[in-house]
Amino acid sequence: MSAKHKISVTLNGKKIEREVEPRLLLGDFLREEIGLLGVHHGCEQGVCGACTILLNGDSVRACLMFAVQADGAEITTVEGIGEPGNLHPLQQSFWDHHALQCGFCTPGMLLTSIDLIKKYPLENDEQIRHGLSGNICRCTGYQNIVTAVREAAPGLRAAK
Amino acid sequence: MKPPAFDYVCARSLDEAIDALGRRPGEAKILAGGQSLTPMLNFRLAHPGMLVDINRIPGIDAIRDDDGGVRIGTLARHRAIEVSDSIRKKFPILTAAAAHVGHLAIRNRGTFGGSIAHADPAAEWPMLALLLDAQIEAKGPQGARTIPAREFFTTFLTTALGDAEILTEVKLPALPAKTGWGFEELSRRPGDFALAAVAAIVTLDGKTIKDARISMGGVGGTPLRAPGAEALLRGKPADAALFEQAGKKAAEESDPSNDVHATADYRRHLVSVLTRRALTSAAEKAAQG
């Protein structure tokens, strides 16, 4: 086993310190060491998008980086954007438009969409679909996810 | 734990990284954006004894204007290229191609230099480095050197870089006036590697093609230029029949293989169509410019 490294991370607004082995994936760190089970691992090769989190505000795959690399970073997972009774506007929109069925892809869809809305004009559904093409959903057929993002985007932009 | 155990060094300078790589020759790998390396580790297709993380080396992600061209620091993220004004102005072909690189989450993290050093023949940056006659700068224990893109990609996922050498910066020389570009890629799903991709630039003198360059991705062990098709275009008036002919020539010059995604014949057919489209689009832009 390689030497452990000490890291300090601001996780959903709370500062934490841990010692990690270099090969520990950030996603496994968040799930298994911290218990943030909203970080879903699907493919573990960057293709399915379920493990997407925000790293210093940018969407990244938690399966494609190591926890040790997150030292000093601010990380937001789905647990950090809203909670029952106080949903994030995008979560509320997913609820209103029935944009999830089994929910496995949902955390990745939400965090990817937050970054997409921030960085792209998303002028039409085609652009939303293109933006979400790195997130795989096997239930919904995507239609309601696209609707939820489209309807929530103006409000999120105005709130900034 | 999916990836095999490795020692981890977080380098704070290029020299520190080169030193670390030199201490474990052949065993240490550079960790840049990690968007290609980490999947290989997760599947245990790679077993490096040590990873040298270059993400915290200051200054190596800069995109700078240089003598009409640009210099792209090795750690520039795909997303930084996508939004760079300087690149949009001088090499809009990179801006257009950036949209084909993975997905936003991959572009936020993956790096220009990492993609070129990884040298996937179907990836966008290697084929564009070849198209734009990039000068690839590397630094190692013996000092710094510049490698022309044509000599950089040696075979599948293999480059001219030595074990302890780091790609530090890529210089893209200025393009002549009246130059247009075309970029055509076919992949089964957005963000996938290309089944075939063709990039072209055309420089016009009136209606005559003064110079043309064609680079092909996903149809050989390395990205490939199409020197025969380029020669065929030079000095001739730009027209549809000529582009058709150049497309066929480029297809002959490609070297695709059969795999689970497509047959070699289909890929060769794609090269001929995509080349024709890329040249047509490049000539149109050159005429407007």
Side-chain angles (χ1 to χ4, degrees):
Chain A
M1 198 168 104
S2 321
K4 287 199 171 189
H5 295 251
K6 196 168 166 190
I7 60 167
S8 160
V9 183
T10 306
L11 200 48
N12 295 330
K14 215 172 94 192
K15 199 159 175 179
I16 55 148
E17 286 190 1
R18 288 287 193 285
E19 289 207 339
V20 294
E21 204 187 332
R23 64 167 159 166
L24 181 65
L25 294 170
L26 179 57
D28 284 328
F29 170 74
L30 295 172
R31 284 182 63 83
E32 289 167 25
E33 308 253 326
I34 310 295
L36 293 171
L37 300 179
V39 181
H40 292 169
H41 273 159
C43 70
E44 293 174 302
Q45 52 178 307
V47 173
C48 79
C51 71
T52 306
I53 55 151
L54 299 179
L55 179 83
N56 299 324
D58 294 320
S59 57
V60 300
R61 303 287 200 238
C63 73
L64 295 189
M65 71 179 276
F66 296 100
V68 65
Q69 297 186 277
D71 185 28
E74 274 185 36
I75 292 173
T76 306
T77 67
V78 71
E79 290 89 345
I81 63 170
E83 56 194 0
N86 184 24
L87 295 178
H88 184 277
L90 190 62
Q91 287 175 312
Q92 187 61 50
S93 188
F94 268 55
W95 180 300
D96 294 343
H97 296 96
H98 191 53
L100 60 141
Q101 289 176 35
C102 88
F104 190 85
C105 72
T106 311
M109 288 286 180
L110 290 167
L111 294 161
T112 300
S113 299
I114 288 172
D115 199 22
L116 283 173
I117 290 167
K118 194 171 71 187
K119 290 178 178 163
Y120 293 93
L122 303 181
E123 286 157 348
N124 51 48
D125 283 6
E126 195 189 329
Q127 290 179 11
I128 297 172
R129 284 176 183 276
H130 185 80
L132 287 172
S133 63
N135 292 66
I136 294 173
C137 172
R138 296 281 88 136
C139 303
T140 64
Y142 302 99
Q143 188 57 51
N144 291 348
I145 297 176
V146 173
T147 304
V149 173
R150 185 210 310 131
E151 297 305 315
L156 281 171
R157 289 214 174 88
K160 261 197 309 187
Chain B
M1 299 279 190
K2 295 98 184 178
F6 52 80
D7 292 324
Y8 174 81
V9 173
C10 183
R12 303 289 166 165
S13 70
L14 280 173
D15 288 339
E16 199 185 311
I18 292 161
D19 185 57
L21 291 167
R23 270 186 276 127
R24 303 273 288 271
E27 219 201 322
K29 291 283 283 177
I30 298 166
L31 176 60
Q35 304 299 287
S36 300
L37 178 59
T38 317
M40 291 170 83
L41 294 170
N42 289 355
F43 287 112
R44 302 208 171 190
L45 296 172
H47 293 80
M50 177 192 273
L51 289 189
V52 180
D53 189 344
I54 61 168
N55 282 279
R56 290 177 200 259
I57 301 179
I60 60 170
D61 62 347
I63 298 172
R64 297 181 289 151
D65 290 318
D66 177 66
D67 201 14
V70 290
R71 287 177 165 273
I72 303 179
T74 193
L75 203 65
R77 312 280 168 187
H78 306 314
R79 173 70 187 159
I81 292 171
E82 188 182 354
V83 299
S84 158
D85 288 335
S86 167
I87 286 176
R88 188 182 305 275
K89 210 157 61 192
K90 292 174 183 166
F91 299 98
I93 188 169
L94 293 189
T95 313
H100 292 270
V101 179
H103 306 282
L104 177 59
I106 306 296
R107 294 198 289 278
N108 279 336
R109 188 82 191 146
T111 68
F112 189 72
S115 169
I116 290 177
H118 184 57
D120 192 305
E124 290 80 7
W125 301 143
M127 65 178 287
L128 288 171
L130 188 65
L131 179 83
L132 298 169
D133 290 328
Q135 298 286 315
I136 294 167
E137 303 198 342
K139 199 171 176 197
Q142 272 83 48
R145 64 176 177 137
T146 303
I147 309 162
R150 280 173 192 265
E151 293 162 27
F152 186 79
F153 304 105
T154 52
T155 178
F156 186 70
L157 302 184
T158 310
T159 70
L161 288 173
D163 273 347
E165 261 187 325
I166 297 182
L167 189 166
T168 53
E169 201 171 42
V170 176
K171 182 185 175 180
L172 301 176
L175 291 172
K178 288 276 177 195
T179 298
W181 59 274
F183 182 85
E184 297 287 331
E185 169 171 329
L186 197 108
S187 56
R188 296 285 288 271
R189 298 166 299 194
D192 276 10
F193 279 110
L195 291 181
V198 176
I201 54 177
V202 169
T203 306
L204 289 179
D205 180 4
K207 288 197 163 23
T208 306
I209 297 171
K210 197 168 158 195
D211 194 20
R213 295 185 229 165
I214 297 166
S215 177
M216 309 179 281
V219 289
T222 64
L224 300 170
R225 287 282 287 264
E230 293 175 9
L232 192 136
L233 292 158
R234 268 180 219 119
K236 299 216 181 71
D239 72 53
L242 181 67
F243 294 154
E244 178 94 35
Q245 209 187 335
K248 293 206 169 102
K249 183 72 192 166
E252 281 171 30
E253 295 179 278
S254 68
D255 184 24
S257 47
N258 291 301
D259 67 22
V260 64
H261 303 292
T263 63
D265 281 349
Y266 179 59
R267 286 196 156 97
R268 214 172 273 116
H269 169 72
L270 286 179
V271 169
S272 108
V273 175
L274 298 178
T275 302
R276 170 170 53 79
R277 288 183 191 163
L279 287 169
T280 307
S281 157
E284 274 169 15
K285 292 190 189 85
Q288 289 157 11

